[in-house]
Amino acid sequence: MAENKTQIRSRAWMYTQSMSHLPFKFSDIQRRLSHISGLKRYAYIVHDQDRNKKNELIAPHLHVMLETKNPMSAHSMIKHFSDQEQYLESFSKYNKKGSNVNNGFSYLIHRTTSAIKESKFRYDYHDVVSNFDYGAFIQQISQAVQKASSHMVSKKDETLLANQILDNFADGKLSKTQAEKELLNINGHTLGSWLNKLDMVNAGILSLKSETARLNMIKENKPVIVIYIYGKSGTGKSSLARNLANQKYPDHLYFTGPREHPFDGLNSIDYLAEAMIIDEARSSTFGQSYSEMLQLLDPYRYLFLRELPARYHNASISSIKQIYITSVLNPKQFYNSFFWKRSNKDDPFEQLVRRLTIVIYLTNDHLQQMIFDPIEKKYVPYGLPMNNPIKQLNLHQTTKVKLSQFLEKTSLNSSNQKKRKDNYEQKNT
């Protein structure tokens, strides 16, 4: 018989919802949590690196883990999120085997045994927002697991086996997730003890690969492409960015969503990122610093990588050749969002304009390329609009957005760009 959540009363609930279907503004979450009576602990994170069984990125979604002093019904809890009970899961040990509050909090960064065995992406605990010391909590849980499982393998055998796994990973015989699973197969203590060493080996490999890629980029002397896609929520901005990026870099795409440290995930991947999608970008994505964003988006950033701020000192950033930015704000609104607390603007808007290779305005029905008009000081339509390709993709699942066809129908290729530019200039002379 199906579990009736309405009848369940639990002290531990997890709320999960896709970011695109969130029934409230993400910025409003703290206020909503503050209204939950008897809330003991909470923690939440946006998962934007999860993949399905076909290794395709899953749409970003929110996980909120809650622990209350007294049991609450699903009906009472879900009211605080203005959503339906189906998006709540009880983590009471009395309701579901293997589900308890600690397991729920650990799942936020995929540190549960089942999540690791399934090779789920391992998030950094810094990405979690909580009302308690989440980092100390994870460390305490890890120590408990280590203590419980330390008797399974002798220290000498554990070291030999773990070193062999790290050597196989360094030689390319194992992926990072496969290495993590093999460490876990020894015992939980091994995984906890050797995870940092595995991360260090991975960082070293990425550093060597990215430096080689950076030198090749210097030799080719090609600018980094920055594509800015804006429009209302639900128009398909993220899907369009994914489709375009996957045409050339299907196995080297890094996707980051609206979180506090969006680029830290580059430390956890075991592949060289060549394209990056910054989804739902906002000023906080770049540390509220317009000048830092300009440095990151510089078309020849690879020439002066060491001059970037410390938060961008990541080996994988140097190898990125394409950057896709999606936002609900047009470029001028995005620029103004950096300065809403102060009137003086250190760098002009034109600095951003020079860094945006292509600007696309997406509506439910149409895709329109925009260009900057230096006379009117704003972005204006450039060429004829085309049908929203993502809408067509949703209507006909067998259809794929082909990059070549997309370029032919818009002014994103060189021939159409010159032709439409000439028409635009003639029209405005």
Side-chain angles (χ1 to χ4, degrees), residues 403-420:
L403 184 60
S404 58
Q405 297 173 355
F406 176 79
L407 295 180
E408 288 175 2
K409 292 182 179 181
T410 65
S411 55
L412 306 190
N413 62 0
S414 57
S415 60
N416 279 343
Q417 207 166 31
K418 185 179 185 304
K419 184 190 303 180
R420 298 186 184 225

Side-chain angles (χ1 to χ4, degrees), residues 118-305:
E118 293 173 17
S119 302
K120 290 182 177 290
F121 180 83
R122 189 163 51 86
Y123 292 90
D124 194 299
Y125 73 86
H126 290 103
D127 295 333
V128 176
V129 179
S130 65
N131 66 340
F132 64 99
D133 192 338
Y134 185 80
F137 162 79
I138 288 296
Q139 185 177 12
Q140 183 180 3
I141 294 295
S142 299
Q143 289 173 350
V145 172
Q146 291 173 14
K147 185 177 180 180
S149 57
S150 59
H151 66 280
M152 296 173 64
V153 180
S154 70
K155 188 67 178 178
K156 181 179 180 181
D157 289 342
E158 177 191 41
T159 301
L160 290 172
L161 290 170
N163 276 323
Q164 183 62 50
I165 292 171
L166 261 63
D167 287 342
N168 288 338
F169 169 65
D171 292 339
K173 298 177 182 178
L174 294 174
S175 68
K176 191 166 182 285
T177 52
Q178 289 172 333
E180 289 176 353
K181 288 179 68 174
E182 292 205 7
L183 288 172
L184 180 63
N185 287 337
I186 299 174
N187 58 48
H189 171 79
T190 307
L191 178 63
S193 299
W194 289 79
L195 210 50
N196 286 338
K197 293 180 181 179
L198 179 63
D199 287 340
M200 290 175 64
V201 174
N202 184 53
I205 294 172
L206 282 179
S207 180
L208 291 172
K209 289 182 177 179
S210 63
E211 180 59 17
T212 301
R214 189 180 75 88
L215 293 175
N216 287 334
M217 291 173 73
I218 293 175
K219 184 178 180 180
E220 294 173 359
N221 195 34
K222 293 182 178 179
V224 175
I225 303 300
V226 180
I227 299 177
Y228 190 97
I229 306 172
Y230 72 97
K232 293 181 179 180
S233 299
T235 54
K237 301 186 298 295
S238 304
S239 298
L240 177 62
R242 288 177 191 271
N243 271 273
L244 294 178
N246 277 325
Q247 297 299 316
K248 192 171 184 179
Y249 304 109
D251 300 320
H252 300 272
L253 172 61
Y254 175 71
F255 184 98
T256 180
R259 49 181 174 165
E260 189 175 350
H261 303 282
F263 306 106
D264 287 354
L266 285 165
N267 294 317
S268 302
I269 59 178
D270 59 356
Y271 59 89
L272 196 64
E274 295 186 85
M276 175 169 64
I277 297 176
I278 306 175
D279 196 42
E280 298 297 337
R282 56 196 67 174
S283 56
S284 59
T285 306
F286 305 94
Q288 303 290 348
S289 174
Y290 181 61
S291 59
E292 284 189 15
M293 182 189 68
L294 292 179
Q295 287 180 279
L296 181 68
L297 301 184
D298 192 288
Y300 294 96
R301 163 182 27 85
Y302 51 82
L303 294 175
F304 55 90
L305 187 63

